[in-house]
Amino acid sequence: MFDAFNGSVTDTIFMILLPLFITAQAVHCNVWSYMAFGATFASWLTLIHSEMQHPWDPLFQKIGFGTAADHHVHHRCFVFNYGHLFMYWDMMLGTYKAPSEVSSFYPAAAKSEDTAVPRS
């Protein structure tokens, strides 16, 4: 779970602050709605960085929501699974890789195809 608190300044700006700012400009509502959105988004980011399997993961994978396992593939391979919330764009653009397709999450035991650039 410590991975969730180990982000870069760039990630913080583009993945948290910018989406919150754009939402505040596009959707005009009261402060409680913004706080609820921010808390939900922060909770989601914590869940996908938790590296734990959750009971709802099979359902979320079927409907295209990103899971901790999907996001772990991103941290392991870096060229797959860019989505934090949804995997639709990754699936459409060929950058999605199912967690079951990665042979190992440990660098010493990884196969070279795990870190390969996605095929077009």
Side-chain angles (χ1 to χ4, degrees), residues 6-98:
N6 215 4
S8 69
V9 172
T10 306
D11 275 349
T12 302
I13 291 170
F14 288 107
M15 298 305 298
I16 299 171
L17 298 178
L18 193 60
L20 289 174
F21 177 76
I22 291 171
T23 302
Q25 299 304 309
V27 180
H28 298 284
C29 55
N30 65 38
V31 69
W32 296 106
S33 297
Y34 293 129
M35 290 172 60
F37 174 77
T40 303
F41 191 63
S43 297
W44 186 267
L45 291 176
T46 301
L47 282 174
I48 65 170
H49 286 97
S50 69
E51 299 183 11
M52 296 178 66
Q53 186 172 6
H54 305 288
W56 53 82
D57 284 353
L59 173 65
F60 278 15
Q61 285 181 329
K62 284 183 183 178
I63 58 178
F65 287 2
T67 65
D70 290 323
H71 196 67
H72 194 80
V73 171
H74 170 72
H75 282 270
R76 170 64 182 90
C77 301
F78 295 106
V79 294
F80 299 104
N81 300 3
Y82 294 104
H84 279 76
L85 299 175
F86 306 109
M87 293 289 116
Y88 302 121
W89 286 107
D90 286 310
M91 291 174 184
M92 287 191 291
L93 298 173
T95 57
Y96 179 76
K97 188 166 197 166

